[in-house]
Amino acid sequence: MTEPDITLAATTLCDVLAQENAALTAMDFPRAISFVAAKQRATEQLLTAQRQAKLAATPANRALAAQLTELSTTNKTLLERAMIAQNRVLACIARALPKAEAHQRQYGARGTQQAQRSSPPVALFSRA
């Protein structure tokens, strides 16, 4: 690979990160998730290009590297914020379930109200 290949790969990764960051800033998680595969491909392309060629330290290349660093740092911060928000939502749901269960009336086969049980087991799944 050549220097233009590295530049193209870095520019592609910058574009993907900018789009994902915009989605994360808007807390549009489904849209943000849609960039995962593109981000992985762009990262792999950049790493492959870097292993096969050297990039000259020109002002344009330094600016591109700075942009990539800034976008990556912002991406990390936004992803951490999204995980915190997700954990808070799951915690709210976990706290609300026993209260919701307590208000449900359950009837047996003969139409009589069943004795109150402790909260049923609940499993929550979180995917980052």
Side-chain angles (χ1 to χ4, degrees):
M1 294 201 162
T2 64
E3 186 172 318
D5 293 329
I6 297 173
T7 302
L8 177 62
T11 302
T12 301
L13 183 55
C14 283
D15 292 343
V16 172
L17 286 172
Q19 292 177 57
E20 184 181 46
N21 288 352
L24 288 168
T25 298
M27 293 197 137
D28 185 351
F29 300 129
R31 194 170 119 233
I33 290 169
S34 74
F35 294 107
V36 170
K39 185 168 66 170
Q40 288 173 335
R41 277 192 309 275
T43 300
E44 285 300 319
Q45 288 171 349
L46 180 58
L47 292 173
T48 300
Q50 284 178 322
R51 281 190 290 266
Q52 295 178 358
K54 296 287 184 190
L55 190 61
T58 65
N61 289 342
R62 282 193 204 105
L64 182 57
Q67 180 185 15
L68 186 55
T69 299
E70 181 182 338
L71 286 166
S72 297
T73 302
T74 301
N75 187 257
K76 179 181 182 242
T77 301
L78 291 170
L79 286 170
E80 288 170 347
R81 183 182 81 170
M83 287 189 292
I84 289 169
Q86 180 183 25
N87 287 338
R88 287 182 181 165
V89 168
L90 290 173
C92 287
I93 292 169
R95 284 192 304 271
L97 282 173
K99 293 175 187 172
E101 288 289 326
H103 295 292
Q104 283 186 346
R105 293 182 179 224
Q106 299 192 4
Y107 295 93
R110 297 174 195 238
T112 58
Q113 191 171 358
Q114 292 181 331
Q116 289 290 342
R117 313 178 278 163
S118 62
S119 294
V122 175
L124 297 175
F125 175 71
S126 173
R127 188 174 103 186

